[in-house]
Amino acid sequence: MIDTAIIAVEQSSAKHAVKKALSQTLQTQKFTNGRRLAQADFTTAVLPLINEVFDELNEYMDSDHIQQNFDENTIAIYSKIIHRGLINPATKRHPVMNLLRKLRRLQSEIKFHTKTRTFTHKQRARYQQEYLKTHPEQQQIIANFRDNRHAVWALNADTQSYADQLLAKHLAKQMIAGQETANIDQVRRILDRFFDLVSHDYQHVDVTVPAEAYIQAFGHEYRFVTTELEKKAISPALGDQLYHEINQAQTLQLMDLTATSD
């Protein structure tokens, strides 16, 4: 129920800071009698997922969207930041894992360069110039990104949005497979800290989340329970218990918002 609501929040058009606050609020429902539900073991559950997401983010750096909207120097700088900031040091030094990563990276580069026929620096520059001729609206965007610092910040924000989509995809995949999803929350925290550090967002900033956003988030939980009851996938007793949990969580959250505004 909670994971379904989190997926809906992650796929919404809200700003990342709002989605982050909503997801964290929903995650707090995963407490029972003061104890958190079973946490994923870092080595067996979190590390493989963070490595998979790391590879997916690397592939995203080679996508048409990134190649067309950011200059080569910015992409190279940010790729190094990802490599140094996200990959586990022990895994980084492991020769087999390092070789596999290099092979995946090479495969991705060959695929992109073969598709665009850009094997040299001149060919890549020519490709970007030809693209800009047919997409003049992108010229001003790229011109605004010439400052490396601001360009890296912009690429970081773009990648953060894509990472949200990746986590929603992995969460849905694990739910379908009936797997424990605690590792998703841990990886989300790792990624959030990484993106915040890159954007130099070292200070905690309170995010104002409208009451309507919380109501919509809990509404996803209501709809999930209603659907499960209609399919007779859960018993009426369990449905009543879940409805009570949602009502309680929503009431407490709205009371907290009211107290804060006062």
Side-chain angles (χ1 to χ4, degrees):
M1 176 187 76
I2 296 169
D3 289 337
T4 299
I6 290 175
I7 289 176
V9 168
E10 294 290 358
Q11 294 176 339
S12 70
S13 59
K15 293 182 179 180
H16 173 78
V18 173
K19 291 193 291 186
K20 177 180 176 181
L22 289 171
S23 295
Q24 288 177 344
T25 298
L26 294 171
Q27 281 289 344
T28 61
Q29 292 178 276
K30 291 188 177 182
F31 283 83
T32 304
N33 297 325
R35 295 184 303 168
R36 181 153 188 141
L37 300 180
Q39 290 291 305
D41 177 75
F42 187 86
T43 303
T44 60
V46 177
L47 183 56
L49 179 58
I50 194 67
N51 281 333
E52 186 173 355
V53 171
F54 168 81
D55 288 335
E56 290 174 321
L57 291 179
N58 262 331
E59 291 178 4
Y60 185 58
M61 292 299 103
D62 293 324
S63 67
D64 290 347
H65 169 75
I66 295 298
Q67 295 291 330
Q68 293 165 358
N69 287 282
F70 297 92
D71 63 74
E72 188 175 351
N73 188 45
T74 300
I75 298 172
I77 292 173
Y78 193 72
S79 295
K80 291 180 180 179
I81 293 174
I82 291 180
H83 190 271
R84 293 172 182 172
L86 283 183
I87 192 168
N88 180 271
T91 306
K92 180 179 178 181
R93 290 193 296 267
H94 195 289
V96 176
M97 294 295 292
N98 203 23
L99 176 61
L100 291 175
R101 189 174 300 104
K102 289 181 179 179
L103 289 175
R104 286 194 292 270
R105 175 75 177 180
L106 179 61
Q107 183 182 24
S108 178
E109 289 179 351
I110 292 175
K111 181 179 179 180
F112 174 80
H113 294 313
T114 301
K115 178 182 177 181
T116 59
R117 297 181 180 180
T118 54
F119 299 98
T120 66
H121 177 75
K122 289 184 178 180
Q123 289 175 330
R124 289 193 291 271
R126 189 181 305 114
Y127 171 79
Q128 189 176 58
Q129 291 175 358
E130 292 175 353
Y131 174 81
L132 291 178
K133 289 180 181 179
T134 57
H135 298 78
E137 72 281 359
Q138 297 295 328
Q139 293 185 12
Q140 186 59 44
I141 296 177
I142 293 180
N144 294 335
F145 290 166
R146 293 305 179 185
D147 182 335
N148 282 340
R149 183 177 62 180
H150 291 89
V152 169
W153 286 347
L155 180 51
N156 184 63
D158 186 294
T159 307
Q160 185 175 41
S161 177
Y162 182 70
D164 288 342
Q165 299 174 34
L166 289 178
L167 289 180
K169 180 195 72 174
H170 285 291
L171 178 55
K173 181 180 178 181
Q174 290 181 198
M175 288 176 60
I176 293 173
Q179 299 173 345
E180 171 61 49
T181 61
N183 61 338
I184 298 290
D185 182 45
Q186 294 190 37
V187 171
R188 180 180 285 108
R189 293 174 184 274
I190 293 172
L191 291 176
D192 282 341
R193 176 163 177 77
F194 167 75
F195 291 123
D196 286 347
L197 287 173
V198 174
S199 63
H200 292 192
D201 187 15
Y202 296 108
Q203 296 181 346
H204 175 73
V205 178
D206 290 330
V207 178
T208 301
V209 180
E212 293 78 8
Y214 283 111
I215 294 174
Q216 290 176 2
F218 289 118
H220 294 305
E221 295 185 345
Y222 276 117
R223 283 189 287 275
F224 174 83
V225 176
T226 300
T227 301
E228 294 299 292
L229 284 170
E230 291 175 348
K231 295 190 301 183
K232 296 183 178 180
I234 60 176
S235 67
L238 178 56
D240 289 341
Q241 186 178 353
L242 291 173
Y243 279 136
H244 176 72
E245 160 61 26
I246 299 170
N247 284 330
Q248 188 177 42
Q250 181 171 261
T251 299
L252 289 173
Q253 187 60 48
L254 294 179
M255 286 175 61
D256 184 59
L257 284 176
T258 302
T260 302
S261 62
D262 292 342

